[in-house]
């Protein structure tokens, strides 16, 4: 149990276009979902936290108008990278949790590799 | 969230127990200790978590000191597939990743 999927697993897009990444919890209801970004040879950096039905909370330095997050249901969250540029190329990883508190495990998706040309 | 300190890298022989230390001296009473690992180019994998007591599951054991200022993750019989970056995280709500320990299991 506790499987999280992401789609697509990799995507290449042209500079200036927008890309949507989906994150789904397949066998549990995720009250809270998280989006991370990871550059090569670096650790994961938390971008934002989203709770179902409410606006996402973004970490300091993350542009909310550029990285649009929607958590419309208990099993689906989407991250849209708008007007992508080469510096947005990264490994994007989502995670899902049954609750926001520390007592609940976060389960991670396999990641989406975005390359902006 | 409290900060954690881990050695940047460790080596362990296949079949032996791998003991990964973590210091979290500023941990507060409601923060859980979580361990995840990340194999190259994959999403992090949950291993184990605990609050005060030692915990064991099918993957590993977690030993938390009585003062909760440090913990040790134990992989009892390491295999080559356990080679990964291991992250120790203290968490109230969100998981904030540090640099982790790069564990290499040698044949």
């Amino acid at each position: 149990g506790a499987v999280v999927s992401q789609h697509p697993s990799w995507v290449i897009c042209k500079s200036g276009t927008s890309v949507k990444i989906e994150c789904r919890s397949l066998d549990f209801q995720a009250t809270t979902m998280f989006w991370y970004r990871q550059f090569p040879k670096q650790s994961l950096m938390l971008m934002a936290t989203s709770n179902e039905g409410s606006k996402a909370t973004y970490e300091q330095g993350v542009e909310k108008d550029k990285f649009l997050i929607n958590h419309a249901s208990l099993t689906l969250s989407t991250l849209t990278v708008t007007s992508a540029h080469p510096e947005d190329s990264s490994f994007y990883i989502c995670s899902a949790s049954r609750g926001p508190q520390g007592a609940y495990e976060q389960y991670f998706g396999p990641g989406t590799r975005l390359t902006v040309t | 969230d409290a900060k954690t300190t881990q050695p940047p890298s460790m080596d362990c022989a296949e079949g032996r127990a791998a003991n990964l230390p973590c210091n979290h001296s500023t941990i507060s009473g409601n923060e859980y200790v979580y361990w995840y690992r990340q194999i190259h180019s994959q999403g992090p994998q949950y291993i184990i978590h605990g609050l005060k007591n030692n915990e064991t599951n099918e993957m590993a054991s977690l030993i938390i000191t009585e003062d909760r200022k440090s913990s040790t993750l134990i992989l009892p019989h390491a295999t080559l597939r356990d080679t990964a970056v291991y992250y120790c995280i203290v968490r109230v709500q969100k998981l904030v990743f540090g640099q982790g320990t790069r564990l290499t299991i040698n044949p």
Side-chain angles (χ1 to χ4, degrees), chain B residues 27 51-54 63-71:
Chain B
I27 192 170
L51 184 62
K52 286 191 270 191
N53 301 320
N54 297 338
I63 309 298
I64 303 174
T65 57
E66 196 169 336
D67 63 7
R68 302 214 318 129
K69 293 185 177 182
S70 65
S71 61

Side-chain angles (χ1 to χ4, degrees), chain A residues 34 36 38 43-44 46 59 91 100-106 108-110 113, chain B residues 32 34 36 38 41-44 46 49 87 91-95 97-99:
Chain A
F34 305 83
Y36 293 80
Q38 186 174 33
S43 187
L44 285 79
L46 180 64
E59 295 298 304
F91 192 48
Q101 291 79 24
Y104 298 95
E105 299 96 291
Q106 272 182 236
F108 285 80
R113 189 160 301 282
Chain B
Y32 286 75
Y34 273 79
Y36 283 80
Q38 186 179 27
S41 293
Q42 297 182 23
Y46 166 79
H49 77 285
Y87 296 98
R91 175 193 179 202
V92 175
Q93 293 187 344
K94 53 193 179 185
L95 287 174
F97 287 77
Q99 295 306 307

Side-chain angles (χ1 to χ4, degrees), chain B:
Chain B
D1 295 312
K3 181 179 167 54
T4 63
T5 304
Q6 297 177 255
S9 63
M10 290 181 64
D11 285 85
C12 179
E14 188 178 19
R16 306 296 293 268
N19 297 284
L20 292 89
C22 178
N23 286 320
H24 31 79
S25 58
T26 60
I27 192 170
S28 58
N30 60 344
E31 287 183 306
Y32 286 75
V33 179
Y34 273 79
W35 283 83
Y36 283 80
R37 71 181 182 185
Q38 186 179 27
I39 296 169
H40 183 62
S41 293
Q42 297 182 23
Q45 177 188 22
Y46 166 79
I47 301 174
I48 199 166
H49 77 285
L51 184 62
K52 286 191 270 191
N53 301 320
N54 297 338
E55 302 287 345
T56 295
N57 62 21
E58 64 277 5
M59 287 183 70
S61 295
L62 173 61
I63 309 298
I64 303 174
T65 57
E66 196 169 336
D67 63 7
R68 302 214 318 129
K69 293 185 177 182
S70 65
S71 61
T72 302
L73 178 75
I74 301 172
L75 307 178
H77 306 286
T79 70
L80 298 178
R81 287 178 295 181
D82 292 322
T83 292
V85 178
Y86 287 76
Y87 296 98
C88 166
I89 306 165
V90 292
R91 175 193 179 202
V92 175
Q93 293 187 344
K94 53 193 179 185
L95 287 174
V96 178
F97 287 77
Q99 295 306 307
T101 296
R102 184 171 298 278
L103 175 68
T104 303
I105 306 301
N106 300 307

Side-chain angles (χ1 to χ4, degrees), chain A residues 51-90:
Chain A
N51 293 298
E52 184 263 338
S54 60
K55 288 184 179 179
T57 302
Y58 290 80
E59 295 298 304
Q60 193 171 11
V62 178
E63 301 173 59
K64 62 180 180 181
D65 294 331
K66 181 170 182 62
F67 299 99
L68 303 179
I69 292 171
N70 184 281
H71 190 168
S73 78
L74 286 172
T75 59
L76 173 65
S77 176
T78 60
L79 167 68
T80 302
V81 183
T82 63
S83 187
H85 291 286
E87 56 266 31
D88 298 323
S89 298
S90 187

